[in-house]
Amino acid sequence: MRRYLVNQALDKLHTQHYDVVIAGGGLSGLYAALLLDEKYTVALLVKEDLMRCNSSLAQGGIAAAVAEDDSPDIHFRDTMRAGAGMADANAVKLLTEKGPDHINRLAAMGVAFDTDGKGNWLTTCEGAHRKKRILHCGGDATGRVIMETLVERIAEKTNVDIYEHHFLTDILTDPNHRTAGVVAFSEEYKVFMAPRVIIATGGAGQVYPHTTNDKVTTGDGIAAAIRAGAETANMEFVQFHPTAFYNPESKDSLFLVSEAVRGEGAVLRNDRGEVFMEKRHRLKDLAPRDIVAREIFKQMELSGREHVWLDITSRDEAWLRKRFPNIYNYCEKYGIMPHKDFIPVVPAQHYLMGGIQTNLEGKSSLPGLYACGEAACTGVHGANRLASNSLLECVVFASRVVQSIHQGGVLLNDEIAFEPHVLTGTLANGKELKSRLKKMMQTHGGIVRNPQGLVHGIGVMNEILALTDAANLVGKEEFELVNMATVAREILLAALTERESAGSHYLDEEPEEIINVSW
Ligand code: SIN
């Protein structure tokens, strides 16, 4: 596999020096930038613009034990249970104990969580939560409201330079294999030297054809970290959200119908109009996501239809329009009036539980490289993330990264070990390769997997990477293809190594012996 996407000698490139580079401007990157002491100079690199990220799309909310009848301990137990026993208990303890503090901090930054008439925060329920602990903003616009508020706050910081439309291509290392900075592409390559780099670039939903993730989520930070030699973990655990709006016209991403809709009483129905979660789990439609997604998949196979139905007709129009304004409007645009019509829904890739392996301070295996948010794997989600723990993870673990950087003080690192990957070949069929990659992931890396399919998928990713390795890459689309194939291959390899089904990783046939495959 190639070490770099950049194909030019670095000494000719525009170079700047910072104390910290943050790649990714979603909630975790932005929060880290806000918390970093003003004595650090910070470059915040964003692939498109600041609002263009998965955090902005988050609907349901942010989970934290703020209600009187709740406690971090109950939140801890719900998270561990949803994670199919595979979550890291120390990470979960940190998440659930620190959660309420960070909610207060967000509120102090100006985030307007929805309240009742008396100013008390409203909380709702989602899958596998035993208590109402999901705070929300603007009804179903939690991510957008939080992001808009923090974007306002970041503009007030004098130590943070924001570089929108800068694509992270590479993480640079020094001769001792320490982080030395990054290369980004914005019409031309640029070098950002820094001894501390935080990867907060989010997940990789775009490796699947059906995802709720934004088009920008092509695993760029995870792939750059892999190329630089950082370890990943739990890559086989990919979460499928049970209820994306079924819309064959949608291109890069499917619209999410929040789990909070089921939290407010919606039930799933099959093509005959029958409820089907009752017999499957004691929490019925609010069972953990992996279980609901698999059951929907089974119902679709049984009926031969491409979706099931979500029924929220128990609520009236005025209530629905107020509580879920965006979801209501989207459904209406496609001729569905949720107070009287069932909503067609289908599972879609939603979240990557794996990522760059980090400790509880967000440190990766590569000195000087940190990760937080969906790009990271602290182990906090185990094999299946509990609903609305992702925004919470962003703030809790971004703050841990910042604490660790503060403790380390200001460092200098000016050396780079770099051999350019200069090639002359071109990549003729990038678009076709991307669509082949996505189909492979749908067929072999999806909700139900089997060893033979995984081996086949790995072979295809190897073929794509061999083609891209031989090419002089030009521009974003081609960088994305390499990153997607790198991450997709990592998911399939991890899935093949994990021989037993757990949480979101489900094998319909467990291998009797380890399959040897050349990689
Ligand atoms: C949702 O609103 O259903 C998504 C929440 C999440 O992914 O945690």
Side-chain angles (χ1 to χ4, degrees), residues 58-61 126 239 241 243 256-260 262 289 350-351 385-390:
Q59 295 180 353
E126 286 183 353
Q239 181 166 78
H241 195 291
T243 59
L256 183 70
V257 181
S258 175
E259 198 154 295
R262 274 174 286 137
R289 258 179 210 174
H350 185 60
Y351 191 85
R385 176 173 64 79
L386 182 68
S388 287
N389 267 356
S390 51

Side-chain angles (χ1 to χ4, degrees), residues 19 34-41 156-159 406:
D19 295 322
L34 282 165
L35 298 191
L36 271 164
D37 191 286
E38 301 252 335
K39 76 176 180 207
Y40 295 89
T41 55
E156 295 158 6
K157 297 276 283 186
T158 51
N159 62 322
H406 285 171

Side-chain angles (χ1 to χ4, degrees), residues 26-237:
L27 181 56
S28 56
L30 210 49
Y31 199 68
L34 282 165
L35 298 191
L36 271 164
D37 191 286
E38 301 252 335
K39 76 176 180 207
Y40 295 89
T41 55
V42 180
L44 179 62
L45 311 182
V46 184
K47 186 169 174 179
E48 295 203 358
D49 59 63
L50 268 177
M51 289 301 292
R52 193 76 199 266
C53 56
N54 276 349
S55 305
S56 300
L57 296 179
Q59 295 180 353
I62 179 164
V66 293
E68 265 179 24
D69 67 341
D70 198 4
S71 70
D73 184 53
I74 308 175
H75 189 186
F76 170 87
R77 282 185 275 137
D78 288 351
T79 303
M80 292 300 289
R81 199 171 300 161
M86 298 193 71
D88 179 312
N90 291 325
V92 177
K93 201 158 182 290
L94 200 64
L95 178 86
T96 51
E97 282 180 358
K98 298 284 177 206
D101 290 351
H102 287 282
I103 296 296
N104 285 316
R105 222 158 165 174
L106 285 170
M109 287 176 177
V111 173
F113 293 109
D114 291 340
T115 54
D116 61 13
K118 298 184 197 120
N120 304 308
W121 286 330
L122 289 170
T123 50
T124 190
C125 201
E126 286 183 353
H129 287 273
R130 276 175 296 167
K131 296 285 175 190
K132 284 187 160 195
R133 64 169 72 96
I134 320 296
L135 294 114
H136 44 88
C137 308
D140 56 5
T142 310
R144 181 163 54 72
V145 172
I146 294 178
M147 284 297 296
E148 280 170 356
T149 311
L150 299 200
V151 167
E152 278 175 27
R153 292 293 81 78
I154 202 77
E156 295 158 6
K157 297 276 283 186
T158 51
N159 62 322
V160 180
D161 291 338
I162 299 167
Y163 295 88
E164 292 186 308
H165 303 282
H166 278 63
F167 189 116
L168 168 76
T169 57
D170 296 292
I171 295 164
L172 299 170
T173 43
D174 72 7
N176 297 318
H177 213 59
R178 290 187 50 85
T179 303
V182 304
V183 180
F185 184 82
S186 177
E187 291 176 11
E188 57 181 9
Y189 290 105
K190 296 177 193 171
V191 176
F192 292 84
M193 295 294 296
R196 300 278 184 252
V197 171
I198 305 174
I199 300 296
T201 46
Q206 289 296 325
V207 305
Y208 290 88
H210 305 304
T211 178
T212 59
N213 285 195
D214 192 277
K215 191 173 181 318
V216 295
T217 53
T218 50
D220 306 322
I222 301 174
I226 293 172
R227 286 194 294 275
E231 302 283 333
T232 59
N234 289 3
M235 291 295 283
E236 65 276 33
F237 298 129

Side-chain angles (χ1 to χ4, degrees), residues 395-406:
V395 290
V396 171
F397 287 95
S399 127
R400 296 286 295 179
V401 167
V402 168
Q403 245 176 290
S404 166
I405 291 178
H406 285 171

